[in-house]
Amino acid sequence: MLADHTTLVQFLIEERRRHPSASGDLNGLILEVALACKAIANRVAIGALSGVLGAADRTNVQGEVQQKLDIIANDYFLRATEWSGQVAGMVSEELAEPYVLPSGYPRGKYLLLFDPLDGSSNIDVNVSIGSIFSILRAPNPGVDAITADFLQPGTAQVCAGYAIYGPSTMLVLTVGTGVHAFTLDRGLGEFILTRPMIQIPHTAAEFAINASNQRFWEPAVQRYVNECLAGKPGPRGKDFNMRWIASLVAETHRILTRGGVFLYPRDSKDPTRPGRLRLLYEANPMSFLIEQAGGAASTGRERVLDVVPDGLHQRIPFVFGATDEVARIDRYHREHNDSACAWPLYGGRGLFRAAG
Ligand code: MN
Ligand code: MN
């Protein structure tokens, strides 16, 4: 083995030795996902030269225009994992229904859930994008998974992680024993452990939110953001910076590195969508990582990992990052929901009272 480096393979084998209940199958599946991520990283790295930029002529199940890379990345995930007998089924942000494995392949004991390409709108502008994945135990190992099998709360995840395709490609994952980050060595084609046992810094000096939605926010979020903006002379007594990359993977990676808090809260913009981010493909895996790194993740009203999903493509409000900040935002939600005119009408003790 290389003297000062731990590869992903070595890490997983050593991790398994420390936790004898862990199965080799899970390691096999994680390595297949890592292979898909390396293949995607290769295509992303040469951008226009590999013909991956631009929109495809299709929309996905959510009615969003698919980018060419959404489809390519989805295919890499399916091809890398369908053959080996580790999974009983898969669901993807890009597929309306669970993916049924080709008939010739054995059905395994895990379920794989993924957002093959997160931050699609950033592809053409060469800003960091990523892939997100979550692994559950199949309730019925060995047979094709059905929709209900995937509707497990986030607490049931056995592994979650993401790859970030930035200036360098990294894989960040948890199997429930802390959060560990690996950097892709392109010469070796191996992920090398570069940040073991990541802990989110407690002091938050940055917040991330799409401020163009401000007029749709609930009073709790109006209050939180306004107190941050008020800076040193305000109630928080310190200055904050604001960040917004519009790529959940990149936002999460920044928070795991530098701390802070991210909000895509419930708002009144589209009453049919009580949030923007997908529970199964985005919020659950990121919440598992964030909690494993000593942070917190909430809908504003409850812990994300406790939410029992009611659909494959369910969206929820998502607030995560430094524990103290998330606790404060939860408290503001409770305080402002006590008012007579709670959601969807603004009122009561909100700093900003909408008309009506
Ligand atoms: Mn996404
Ligand atoms: Mn996506």
Side-chain angles (χ1 to χ4, degrees):
M1 198 40 66
L2 308 167
D4 298 325
H5 296 297
T6 301
T7 65
L8 177 61
V9 178
Q10 185 183 2
F11 171 86
L12 290 173
I13 290 172
E14 289 179 352
E15 199 66 9
R16 192 181 155 213
R17 276 190 203 131
R18 273 200 295 276
H19 304 275
S21 58
S23 83
D25 291 4
L26 180 62
N27 284 358
L29 178 54
I30 294 169
L31 292 172
E32 289 161 13
V33 169
L35 177 63
C37 294
K38 285 189 278 191
I40 297 165
N42 274 346
R43 299 293 291 268
V44 169
I46 56 172
L49 298 179
S50 73
V52 297
L53 302 191
D57 229 1
R58 285 161 39 180
T59 54
N60 69 9
V61 56
Q62 346 250 349
E64 298 161 334
V65 174
Q66 285 179 309
Q67 304 293 308
K68 286 180 191 162
L69 203 53
D70 286 323
I71 297 167
I72 293 168
N74 194 65
D75 285 344
Y76 280 138
F77 262 81
L78 297 177
R79 296 296 91 75
T81 55
E82 66 185 353
W83 59 275
S84 67
Q86 320 294 7
V87 295
M90 295 185 252
V91 289
S92 160
E93 183 182 283
E94 301 298 335
L95 301 173
E97 302 293 331
Y99 177 72
V100 179
L101 306 178
S103 57
Y105 299 136
R107 275 58 178 158
K109 57 186 181 189
Y110 293 105
L111 304 177
L112 178 64
L113 305 82
F114 56 91
D115 175 357
L117 212 286
D118 175 71
S120 293
S121 64
N122 284 334
I123 298 169
D124 291 0
V125 288
N126 203 4
V127 169
S128 291
I129 49 182
S131 304
I132 311 171
F133 66 95
S134 163
I135 299 173
L136 296 166
R137 285 192 184 84
N140 299 300
V143 299
D144 284 320
I146 58 170
T147 297
D149 296 344
F150 295 91
L151 304 182
Q152 305 180 37
T155 47
Q157 292 172 102
V158 294
C159 174
Y162 63 82
I164 180 167
Y165 314 114
S168 61
T169 291
M170 295 183 75
L171 186 74
V172 179
L173 66 84
T174 183
V175 289
T177 58
V179 178
H180 313 280
F182 302 79
T183 304
L184 180 62
D185 180 324
R186 285 179 185 274
L188 293 172
E190 294 277 359
F191 282 109
I192 309 290
L193 182 63
T194 45
R195 283 181 67 202
M197 291 305 285
I198 294 173
Q199 284 289 305
I200 296 176
H202 282 292
T203 50
E206 291 176 338
F207 67 100
I209 191 164
N210 183 350
S212 70
N213 289 327
Q214 178 173 11
R215 68 189 184 282
F216 304 111
W217 295 341
E218 294 180 289
V221 175
Q222 301 279 4
R223 174 180 170 191
Y224 178 78
V225 171
N226 275 292
E227 289 181 357
C228 290
L229 294 175
K232 212 166 178 117
R236 299 299 304 273
K238 65 172 184 173
D239 292 334
F240 287 80
N241 274 317
M242 191 166 79
R243 294 285 182 272
W244 186 253
I245 312 174
S247 158
L248 180 64
V249 165
E251 308 276 4
T252 305
H253 199 71
R254 185 191 62 251
I255 285 173
L256 285 174
T257 306
R258 239 169 34 192
V261 66
F262 170 97
L263 304 92
Y264 210 120
R266 180 162 160 174
D267 65 35
S268 63
K269 192 174 182 178
D270 177 354
T272 65
R273 277 187 190 175
R276 173 82 178 78
L277 294 162
R278 286 91 171 167
L279 177 57
L280 296 187
Y281 317 112
E282 296 176 319
N284 267 344
M286 292 320 200
S287 297
F288 190 17
L289 289 164
I290 291 292
E291 287 199 2
Q292 283 288 316
S298 155
T299 66
R301 290 165 170 82
E302 63 182 316
R303 182 187 179 210
V304 169
L305 294 181
D306 286 336
V307 175
V308 178
D310 59 25
L312 292 179
H313 300 290
Q314 177 179 358
R315 297 169 186 258
I316 59 155
F318 194 21
V319 174
F320 69 88
T323 308
D324 292 353
E325 297 302 308
V326 175
R328 176 184 290 268
I329 293 163
D330 284 351
R331 176 162 63 81
Y332 288 1
H333 277 82
R334 282 194 303 277
E335 291 178 8
H336 292 279
N337 288 339
D338 291 342
S339 65
C341 308
W343 169 268
L345 296 174
Y346 292 159
R349 289 175 285 161
L351 290 182
F352 287 76
R353 297 173 196 192

